[in-house]
Amino acid sequence: MSDQEFTMSREERLAARLRDNLKRRKAQARALEAGAGAADATVSESPDSPETGLSNPAA
């Protein structure tokens, strides 16, 4: 561990990790949304198509 992490209190370390996690999750959500928007514009599949690997049991 670095000197800075060693001197930080438990609460400060947890708060820093929570902030990092939030940043990572937001970036991941933005990437998924950007990817989903591009995929929606180029591919139109039915929910139970064999390419998705999932079936639609409600249909």
Side-chain angles (χ1 to χ4, degrees):
M1 280 178 28
S2 70
D3 291 337
Q4 181 184 12
E5 288 181 27
F6 188 71
T7 59
M8 292 172 57
S9 71
R10 180 177 186 269
E11 290 81 14
E12 290 171 328
R13 287 192 311 269
L14 289 174
R17 288 186 126 179
L18 283 171
R19 282 191 302 274
D20 291 342
N21 188 29
L22 181 60
K23 288 178 188 176
R24 187 172 47 251
R25 289 176 59 107
K26 283 186 174 185
Q28 193 174 42
R30 283 191 297 267
L32 284 174
E33 181 146 331
D40 289 343
T42 59
V43 178
S44 177
E45 296 178 346
S46 66
D48 58 350
S49 67
E51 291 82 21
T52 63
L54 301 174
S55 62
N56 189 355

